[in-house]
């Protein structure tokens, strides 16, 4: 029987890049004294002015190219390297922000040169034994095609209540659990 390639797919925003922290810092620079603050960058029923500011920030190629690393994602990346997974980047490209695509590419060239990149509008179409992603909607789409797939979810405020039997939420304290699950996933045939 042919061995299925052991591929670990890594998201960028909120996984390898600290998207939320950077966006919050940039939004703070644009705020006026006395302006309301929000616990999250994406509050329910966000006012139009906040949406406009987010769009202004995220339309910049430089903003994407200079995102800081997100340590939780890099911890999992190191495990995948140790376990000899083939690393691939799987990131969503914002449909209305073409400069985001080039900014992401620049970021990857600096931080992970030589790693294959797939920018897509639908992550569920891409094969891997493991997906490392922080966003529940993308995870559920991917798992819909992979009933035995494994997801490692870097913890953040937006996914704190998400639970699924094939998802391990990594919060910085359970790296041994992540390593064991990723090691076992290598033995599965898809």
């Amino acid at each position: 029987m042919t061995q299925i390639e052991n591929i670990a797919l890594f998201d960028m925003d909120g996984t390898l890049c600290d998207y939320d922290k950077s966006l919050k810092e940039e939004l703070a620079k644009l705020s006026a004294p006395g302006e309301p603050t929000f616990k999250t960058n994406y509050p329910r029923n966000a006012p139009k002015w906040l949406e406009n500011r987010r769009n202004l920030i995220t339309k910049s190629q430089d903003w994407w190219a200079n995102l800081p690393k997100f340590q939780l994602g890099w911890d999992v990346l190191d495990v995948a390297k140790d376990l000899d997974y083939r690393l691939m980047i799987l990131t969503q490209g914002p449909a209305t922000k073409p400069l985001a695509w080039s900014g992401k590419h620049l970021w990857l060239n600096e931080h992970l040169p030589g790693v294959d990149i797939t920018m897509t509008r639908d992550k569920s179409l891409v094969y891997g034994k493991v997906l490392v992603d922080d966003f529940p909607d993308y995870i559920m789409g991917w798992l819909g095609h992979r009933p035995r797939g494994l997801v490692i979810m870097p913890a953040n405020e937006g996914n704190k209540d998400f639970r699924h039997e094939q998802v391990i939420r990594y919060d910085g304290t359970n790296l041994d659990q992540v390593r064991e699950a990723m090691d076992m996933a290598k033995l599965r045939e898809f």
Side-chain angles (χ1 to χ4, degrees):
M1 191 179 295
T2 305
Q3 172 70 23
I4 301 295
E5 189 168 13
N6 292 316
I7 296 173
L9 303 167
F10 281 82
D11 173 50
M12 290 180 67
D13 318 329
T15 299
L16 293 175
C17 306
D18 201 338
Y19 177 96
D20 289 336
K21 177 184 175 191
S22 185
L23 184 57
K24 185 173 223 143
E25 289 171 354
E26 292 302 311
L27 286 169
K29 291 177 187 176
L30 298 173
S31 67
E35 202 169 76
T37 58
F38 300 95
K39 185 175 180 180
T40 174
N41 291 328
Y42 294 92
R44 291 177 193 220
N45 303 315
K48 185 68 174 166
W49 58 264
L50 181 59
E51 183 181 328
N52 290 340
R53 287 180 190 174
R54 281 195 311 251
N55 284 330
L56 177 70
I57 293 164
T58 59
K59 283 184 177 181
S60 166
Q61 173 180 292
D62 289 342
W63 184 77
W64 291 96
N66 293 301
L67 286 171
K69 290 181 176 180
F70 187 57
Q71 190 58 50
L72 294 179
W74 285 82
D75 291 349
V76 179
L77 185 84
D78 288 340
V79 169
K81 286 179 184 177
D82 289 347
L83 295 174
D84 293 321
Y85 271 91
R86 177 179 174 197
L87 306 178
M88 294 183 69
I89 301 303
L90 179 62
T91 188
Q92 167 90 229
T96 61
K97 299 172 186 168
L99 293 177
W101 293 54
S102 58
K104 287 182 175 210
H105 188 77
L106 291 168
W107 190 94
L108 288 165
N109 282 343
E110 180 178 337
H111 298 285
L112 290 168
V115 173
D116 288 329
I117 305 163
T118 299
M119 287 194 197
T120 184
R121 300 290 305 142
D122 186 354
K123 292 183 179 186
S124 72
L125 301 175
V126 181
Y127 167 79
K129 283 198 174 176
V130 176
L131 172 66
V132 184
D133 200 314
D134 68 305
F135 192 59
D137 290 351
Y138 298 153
I139 288 167
M140 291 307 296
W142 187 82
L143 285 172
H145 296 289
R146 285 152 200 91
R148 296 179 349 162
L150 170 67
V151 174
I152 308 299
M153 175 187 274
N156 65 35
E157 184 66 25
N159 64 31
K160 68 181 178 185
D161 297 322
F162 181 78
R163 301 289 179 271
H164 189 283
E165 67 229 12
Q166 292 167 251
V167 177
I168 297 173
R169 189 168 181 270
Y170 173 59
D171 63 7
T173 65
N174 57 330
L175 196 57
D176 289 339
Q177 178 189 17
V178 167
R179 179 181 300 277
E180 182 180 332
M182 289 179 72
D183 197 28
M184 289 178 59
K186 286 176 63 176
L187 303 176
R188 292 189 190 120
E189 293 183 18
F190 278 54

